[in-house]
């Protein structure tokens, strides 16, 4: 019960710090348009969420215009979970294909990208759901701040960089099948990593924790 309450409290602090930082950085003030990836909300935490906690905090302040939510192939955590949560809470959300993310940044006025993290290394590299790295590259190209929202417990100072993080590879059937229906050549070679690593230099907004927002290179030392 104590851990449950701590996680909820930490998530609300992450949301508050992230919302304030984004509002202080985005030109023209609120309301803002965000883009997020995978599921980082109530269904992924003890409640409220990390990256979705930032979304919720902005919504509660009346400072959120819309959040674009990627489907997060191949397991669809974005479409099955994040979109469900946000609709349930009355948050304005638009579901997009993963391959539409860069176009949404350019054509739909995305002002910040906020994602979660499974691990943060000593130098600020971040492992997260596959597809995060390419979002960071696109955001950097377009000058859009890229944020990672995660509790301080996600920081692992024993690993010098993201190259040392083991990456899980998932069954190839997640790509070749959908709902039990074969969509590809049954003998095709499949590479299906569950996560990727985003280099710290692409995290241009900062890493949002329950203690505040830090530059990636400062996070572990500060904590």
């Amino acid at each position: 019960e104590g851990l449950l309450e701590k996680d909820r409290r930490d998530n609300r602090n992450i949301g508050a710090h992230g919302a304030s930082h984004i509002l202080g950085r985005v030109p023209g003030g609120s309301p803002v348009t965000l883009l997020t990836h995978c599921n980082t909300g109530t269904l992924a935490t003890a409640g409220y969420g990390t990256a979705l906690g930032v979304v919720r905090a902005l919504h509660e302040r009346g400072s959120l215009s819309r959040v674009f939510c990627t489907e997060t192939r191949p397991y669809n955590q974005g479409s099955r979970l994040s979109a469900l949560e946000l609709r349930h809470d009355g948050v304005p959300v638009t579901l997009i294909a993963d391959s539409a993310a860069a176009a949404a940044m350019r054509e739909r006025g995305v002002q910040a990208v906020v994602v979660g993290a499974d691990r943060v290394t000593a130098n600020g590299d971040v492992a997260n759901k596959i597809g995060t790295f390419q979002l960071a590259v696109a955001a950097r190209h377009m000058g859009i701040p890229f944020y990672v929202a995660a509790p301080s417990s996600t920081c692992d100072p024993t690993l010098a960089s993201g190259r040392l993080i083991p990456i899980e590879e998932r069954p190839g059937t997640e790509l070749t099948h959908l709902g039990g229906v074969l969509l590809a050549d049954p003998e095709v070679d499949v590479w299906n990593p569950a996560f990727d690593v985003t280099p710290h230099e692409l995290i241009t907004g900062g890493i949002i924790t329950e203690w505040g927002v830090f530059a990636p290179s400062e996070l572990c030392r500060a904590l």
Side-chain angles (χ1 to χ4, degrees):
E1 293 298 321
L3 289 171
L4 174 67
E5 290 307 313
K6 181 181 186 305
D7 193 59
R8 288 175 173 167
R9 183 173 62 254
D10 287 349
N11 287 350
R12 286 193 171 273
N13 287 335
I14 288 170
H17 288 307
S20 295
H21 199 276
I22 289 170
L23 291 174
R25 178 163 181 175
V26 171
S30 64
V32 298
T33 299
L34 303 182
L35 186 146
T36 192
H37 188 56
C38 198
N39 181 255
T40 57
T42 299
L43 295 170
T45 66
Y48 203 69
T50 54
L52 286 196
V54 176
V55 171
R56 286 188 167 101
L58 286 166
H59 180 62
E60 290 166 2
R61 298 183 187 192
S63 298
L64 179 72
S65 175
R66 180 159 298 274
V67 57
F68 286 89
C69 171
T70 60
E71 60 183 344
T72 323
R73 284 279 298 152
Y75 215 59
N76 296 90
Q77 296 98 324
S79 56
R80 296 196 302 167
L81 304 179
S82 294
L84 173 70
E85 281 196 43
L86 295 169
R87 286 277 297 158
H88 177 271
D89 286 4
V91 177
V93 57
T94 297
L95 178 65
I96 61 172
D98 291 357
S99 53
M105 291 182 199
R106 185 179 66 187
E107 305 295 338
R108 291 293 182 265
V110 172
Q111 294 162 289
V113 178
V114 186
V115 301
D118 289 88
R119 190 177 297 189
V120 182
T121 60
N123 71 340
D125 292 347
V126 169
N128 193 48
K129 182 58 58 182
I130 189 70
T132 302
F133 177 32
Q134 62 195 21
L135 294 178
V137 171
R140 177 67 173 268
H141 176 74
M142 297 184 191
I144 297 170
F146 184 92
Y147 288 89
V148 172
S152 58
S153 57
T154 305
C155 185
D156 185 356
T158 67
L159 294 181
S161 75
R163 291 185 177 275
L164 301 175
I165 299 175
I167 300 297
E168 173 194 4
E169 291 194 23
R170 300 279 299 179
T173 52
E174 291 182 354
L175 292 182
T176 59
H177 291 70
L178 182 64
V181 177
L182 179 65
L183 302 178
D185 185 313
E187 302 301 322
V188 70
D189 182 56
V190 176
W191 181 54
N192 184 23
F195 306 94
D196 59 27
V197 174
T198 299
H200 59 275
E201 60 266 23
L202 295 180
I203 305 171
T204 54
I207 298 178
I208 309 164
T209 75
E210 71 272 28
W211 300 108
V213 183
F214 300 91
S217 59
E218 301 172 351
L219 175 64
C220 284
R221 183 170 63 254
L223 294 177

